[in-house]
Amino acid sequence: MPPMERSFPIWVAILLTSSAAFAQESEQNRHTDSRARFVHRINLWDEDGRNISMKDTEQRPYSPTMTCARCHPTILISHGWHFNATDRSAPPGRGGEPWMYQDATTRTLLPISHREWPGTWSPKDVGLSDWQFVLLFGRHHPGGGPGLHPTTQPVDPKARWDFSGRLEVDCMICHSADNSHDPAERARQIELQQNFKWAATVAMGLAHVPGSARTLKIEPPEEGPNEPPKRPTLKMTYDKTKFDVEDKVLFNVARKVPNNRCYYCHTAIEVGKDVPPRWQHDGDVHLVKGMTCTDCHREAIDHMTTRGYEWEHKDRADAGLATLTCRGCHLGARGSGGALTAGMGGKLGSPRPEHRGLPAIHFEKLSCTACHSGPWPQMQPGLVQTSMAHALGLEKPTRNSETVPRILQPIFIRGADGKIAPHRAVWPNYFGRMGKESIAVIPPSVVKEAAGDEVLPAVRELTADASKPLSDEQISKTLAALSTGAAATQPAGSSGQAVYVSGGVVFGLDKGKVVKISSERAEAQPYEWAFAHDIRPASQSLGIRGCTDCHSSQGAIYFGEVTPVGAFAAGNGVTRTMTELRGESTALANAGVGSFMGRSLFKVLIFICGGVVAAVLLTAGVRGLGAWLVRES
């Protein structure tokens, strides 16, 4: 997929510089150097750097950037991992969970990311403007980046930034210690009301904003034609009980982000008819034992959160990160300055595993998560829903186990370090134009205009129809429409045959019928990303019941079958085993299993043979000793 042209616009730098100036005036990066939590009883400041007072005739929403910049270096924080996706200078790191761009009418599903992760599309590739991105994903986006309205994305004449304001980084979405910040209300303000700059204030319960930026209009001047038009704004009413006599507000801030705040964006639940009810799920062993997410996923004031994969310390040139991995925590690793902790292990009281009887080659071929993470592997991977993909945390009455996108887990493939690890996978679905070297996405708006409502009737995202595949007739008529007239030249700059990609297969038209063109095109393959949670204890890890947990005909890590999940009625792509997905020899895997089938009997035979050899040697030794004694006497 074409790489995304990420940038850091000049006006964003100006904004951050202005916030830094406020911070410098008030001793930038103030800190108490105490383990005790600082009481944040502070004044509020708006986006123009003006102090907010209950005496103001016109009340304005507070700006997290300007308010926090009085004491903290927001210009540095804004480059943190959760906010820097659009910053082209930020290293992308290991591929992670993407945003799922969907259009229910055309059944389009594309994993998108501003980062240059192989297998994803950029928002620009699908014609998605910053305005559209924020409306679609602002519900689980902490702010900043696209929310600051960079100018590098497609121009959107429907964008209403002048009315909505910017969606700044909302610090309290993570750092609220008592759940006084309501992320679901923040999502409603963004998604339904377009009240971007008011969202943080309303989510904190500081004020009531009855209006909606969605309906604001530029009103004609009242005093005559020479007066400039007046740009309206929303009226708001602060809760005066939240303010003290000095116009200060108490923010219950947690330095270490509580698990509950992480879960709003990072929940994953298994779904499907055979999945046990949630109350039977034990949860992540670390959290059950009392740890917090930030015990491992740490960060400095720069907010570059540690992600915890094995080679992250190389990506970020920081040896200290090696101690914050599974291996580094349990077995030890060289930390910052080369300090050796391998002789210790057991960081944070974690057990130091012995792995008795496990050949060392397993540590060269498998990640720790291959045996310890996710649901117990089955011969058919299960479905999983996540906060980012399925809007978990928000009330969606129509959400069920069939709600798209359909994401499969666990899939055992090799990561960038060459080790087998559990992954999640999602297959793209889209209409495109196939050239000699690539398949360009045709934006859903173009597809719908070409096909018309009779072929592709409008489907709301929340209805059950969004999960139904398109019929052969719908696909054939849409491809025919995209192959003729003005639609044949769109999208601009691309040419080639109109195709439909679904379930790992590229389909096209042949004499009016939908036919399979290829199941090997890279643009049709799934996007896969590694995951680590929930982590199972050692007593529930692969191999606890013996070698045949993996080395048998029912070993999912070798012979589990993956069938691509698409949205095409004529059938899905080719079913492959985990071994085939990794590009390994099936014959070799079968031979390995065969060697384990008689392994127990083989061990008995070895012991018997050893006993026979020992008996022969003992007999020969006794005879030899007797002969020597006779000779000596």
Side-chain angles (χ1 to χ4, degrees):
M1 292 67 180
M4 166 63 182
E5 296 181 5
R6 292 178 288 161
S7 66
F8 194 66
I10 295 177
W11 74 264
V12 176
I14 295 174
L15 171 66
L16 297 176
T17 302
S18 64
S19 68
F22 280 101
Q24 290 171 353
E25 290 176 4
S26 305
E27 299 179 22
Q28 185 180 26
N29 194 15
R30 291 183 177 183
H31 44 88
T32 63
D33 299 320
S34 171
R35 291 184 177 179
R37 187 187 302 170
F38 180 76
V39 177
H40 285 71
R41 185 173 286 108
I42 57 178
N43 290 111
L44 303 182
W45 302 79
D46 71 6
E47 62 183 351
D48 297 320
R50 296 177 295 173
N51 180 234
I52 294 175
S53 170
M54 291 298 94
K55 298 177 182 178
D56 296 336
T57 56
E58 180 184 347
Q59 295 183 339
R60 310 171 303 279
Y62 97 96
S63 161
T65 298
M66 291 300 183
T67 298
C68 296
R70 306 300 296 186
C71 298
H72 301 292
T74 54
I75 191 171
L76 180 63
I77 293 170
S78 64
H79 289 274
W81 176 255
H82 286 89
F83 325 116
N84 66 5
T86 56
D87 183 357
R88 66 180 307 170
S89 66
R94 184 183 71 174
E97 181 176 1
W99 299 102
M100 303 294 180
Y101 171 62
Q102 299 182 78
D103 179 78
T105 300
T106 61
R107 307 304 193 271
T108 297
L109 169 60
L110 291 168
I112 65 172
S113 176
H114 288 96
R115 306 183 192 276
E116 295 177 1
W117 287 337
T120 63
W121 283 261
S122 75
K124 187 176 182 179
D125 292 334
V126 298
L128 199 63
S129 69
D130 292 308
W131 175 258
Q132 294 168 315
F133 183 92
V134 173
L135 289 179
L136 288 173
F137 306 116
R139 52 178 170 78
H140 281 90
H141 193 285
L148 298 180
H149 183 32
T151 57
T152 57
Q153 297 300 309
V155 176
D156 187 350
K158 296 182 180 180
R160 294 171 55 83
W161 294 102
D162 289 340
F163 299 103
S164 70
R166 296 187 294 266
L167 186 67
E168 297 181 1
V169 173
D170 188 352
C171 307
M172 295 302 287
I173 197 172
C174 292
H175 289 284
S176 175
D178 58 1
N179 284 337
S180 57
H181 181 286
D182 185 352
E185 177 59 30
R186 175 181 180 271
R188 192 182 74 85
Q189 292 292 319
I190 296 169
E191 201 172 32
L192 300 180
Q193 306 293 86
Q194 299 181 1
N195 297 344
F196 295 175
K197 72 176 180 179
W198 290 271
T201 305
V202 177
M204 277 297 294
L206 296 176
H208 175 57
V209 181
S212 170
R214 180 192 294 271
T215 60
L216 289 179
K217 299 178 181 179
I218 297 179
E219 300 294 339
E222 297 179 357
E223 300 180 4
N226 294 327
E227 294 293 329
K230 183 179 180 181
R231 187 172 301 280
T233 187
L234 296 179
K235 293 182 179 180
M236 58 181 297
T237 305
Y238 273 104
D239 181 352
K240 294 183 179 180
T241 65
K242 303 286 187 181
F243 291 75
D244 64 15
V245 295
E246 296 180 327
D247 283 329
K248 291 184 177 180
V249 177
L250 176 63
F251 280 70
N252 197 345
V253 175
R255 178 186 301 156
K256 292 184 64 175
V257 177
N259 295 343
N260 190 59
R261 307 308 293 185
C262 300
Y263 271 141
Y264 175 68
C265 291
H266 298 288
T267 288
I269 59 172
E270 301 169 62
V271 296
K273 62 179 181 179
D274 297 326
V275 174
R278 294 185 67 185
W279 63 269
Q280 292 185 10
H281 181 66
D282 293 333
D284 189 290
V285 65
H286 294 90
L287 303 187
V288 170
K289 293 296 184 180
M291 292 180 64
T292 66
C293 301
T294 54
D295 284 333
C296 297
H297 299 286
R298 305 180 185 184
E299 61 190 18
I301 191 64
D302 62 2
H303 283 57
M304 282 300 295
T305 308
T306 301
R307 300 178 65 200
Y309 57 92
E310 291 290 339
W311 63 95
E312 185 178 16
H313 65 285
K314 296 180 181 179
D315 283 351
R316 290 170 52 177
D318 185 348
L321 298 179
T323 67
L324 295 173
T325 63
C326 302
R327 187 185 301 271
C329 192
H330 286 269
L331 298 175
R334 291 189 180 275
S336 299
L340 183 63
T341 63
M344 305 176 199
K347 191 169 186 170
L348 298 176
S350 61
R352 184 178 175 85
E354 297 181 1
H355 293 108
R356 291 179 180 175
L358 190 65
I361 192 173
H362 288 76
F363 304 109
E364 299 174 9
K365 301 293 185 180
L366 300 170
S367 68
C368 301
T369 55
C371 297
H372 291 277
S373 294
W376 186 271
Q378 304 293 329
M379 294 302 288
Q380 299 288 337
L383 291 171
V384 62
Q385 293 184 350
T386 72
S387 293
M388 289 175 58
H390 299 88
L392 305 185
L394 303 179
E395 295 183 46
K396 301 286 184 180
T398 59
R399 183 171 51 229
N400 55 43
S401 61
E402 294 300 315
T403 299
V404 290
R406 296 182 179 92
I407 304 173
L408 294 185
Q409 73 164 19
I411 294 177
F412 292 95
I413 59 174
R414 297 189 184 276
D417 60 348
K419 295 182 179 180
I420 297 174
H423 287 67
R424 294 180 177 132
V426 63
W427 278 260
N429 293 279
Y430 62 96
F431 287 93
R433 206 167 294 283
M434 186 171 68
K436 293 182 180 180
E437 299 181 355
S438 63
I439 300 178
V441 174
I442 301 178
S445 58
V446 175
V447 176
K448 286 183 282 191
E449 182 180 356
D453 293 338
E454 292 185 1
V455 176
L456 295 178
V459 176
R460 290 181 60 249
E461 297 288 345
L462 297 180
T463 63
D465 290 341
S467 300
K468 295 180 180 179
L470 297 176
S471 66
D472 293 11
E473 182 181 7
Q474 285 178 302
I475 294 175
S476 62
K477 287 184 177 181
T478 301
L479 290 176
L482 291 170
S483 301
T484 59
T489 63
Q490 298 182 34
S494 67
S495 60
Q497 179 184 0
V499 295
Y500 183 59
V501 178
S502 179
V505 179
V506 180
F507 298 92
L509 278 183
D510 183 15
K511 298 179 180 179
K513 294 184 178 181
V514 179
V515 296
K516 181 186 295 187
I517 296 177
S518 171
S519 60
E520 303 297 329
R521 291 293 298 245
E523 299 89 347
Q525 301 313 305
Y527 175 71
E528 300 148 330
W529 69 99
F531 70 95
H533 301 286
D534 287 341
I535 296 175
R536 305 189 304 274
S539 59
Q540 297 177 14
S541 62
L542 274 179
I544 195 65
R545 301 179 302 185
C547 302
T548 52
D549 273 355
C550 295
H551 299 287
S552 73
S553 60
Q554 295 300 305
I557 199 168
Y558 283 104
F559 301 108
E561 295 183 335
V562 180
T563 300
V565 181
F568 183 45
N572 291 310
V574 179
T575 297
R576 294 183 173 90
T577 64
M578 302 288 181
T579 300
E580 293 171 332
L581 285 176
R582 296 194 294 270
E584 299 170 359
S585 170
T586 302
L588 188 60
N590 284 321
V593 167
S595 69
F596 277 87
M597 292 179 63
R599 193 176 183 87
S600 298
L601 181 62
F602 186 64
K603 288 180 180 179
V604 173
L605 182 61
I606 288 177
F607 279 114
I608 293 175
C609 292
V612 171
V613 171
V616 171
L617 292 176
L618 180 61
T619 301
V622 170
R623 289 182 177 179
L625 178 61
W628 179 76
L629 292 174
V630 170
R631 186 173 62 251
E632 290 296 321
S633 62

